[in-house]
Amino acid sequence: TDFSIPFFVFQGAEDNVTPVAPVRDYVASIRAPRKEGVVIPNAGHSVMANRSDEFLALLRDRVRPLAASP
């Protein structure tokens, strides 16, 4: 639970495979230079396939700036 890099979780609110509550607890236990758990409303377990536009926007807006910085 100790990461030297940023840690992100993007998850569907209706995920019945990986329930939101334990994921929130896990993200809270993480130590990282930056961490974020984002719940995407009205989405399930396959959020990156079924809500790909929203998932890509999260990657672009939250992860890419960190990957592009020196």
Side-chain angles (χ1 to χ4, degrees):
T1 59
D2 193 10
F3 293 86
S4 61
I5 60 173
F7 184 90
F8 293 88
V9 174
F10 303 133
Q11 175 176 6
E14 309 304 323
D15 190 334
N16 60 1
V17 176
T18 311
V20 172
V23 173
R24 280 190 177 137
D25 292 344
Y26 180 69
V27 171
S29 75
I30 296 292
R31 290 182 24 199
R34 178 169 175 187
K35 67 178 180 178
E36 190 170 0
V38 178
V39 176
I40 300 171
N42 303 313
H45 185 71
S46 300
V47 68
M48 68 181 147
N50 297 330
R51 303 289 287 276
S52 57
D53 289 344
E54 291 171 67
F55 191 83
L56 181 59
L58 287 167
L59 291 173
R60 182 190 62 233
D61 298 342
R62 300 184 187 197
V63 177
R64 186 175 186 215
L66 300 174
S69 67

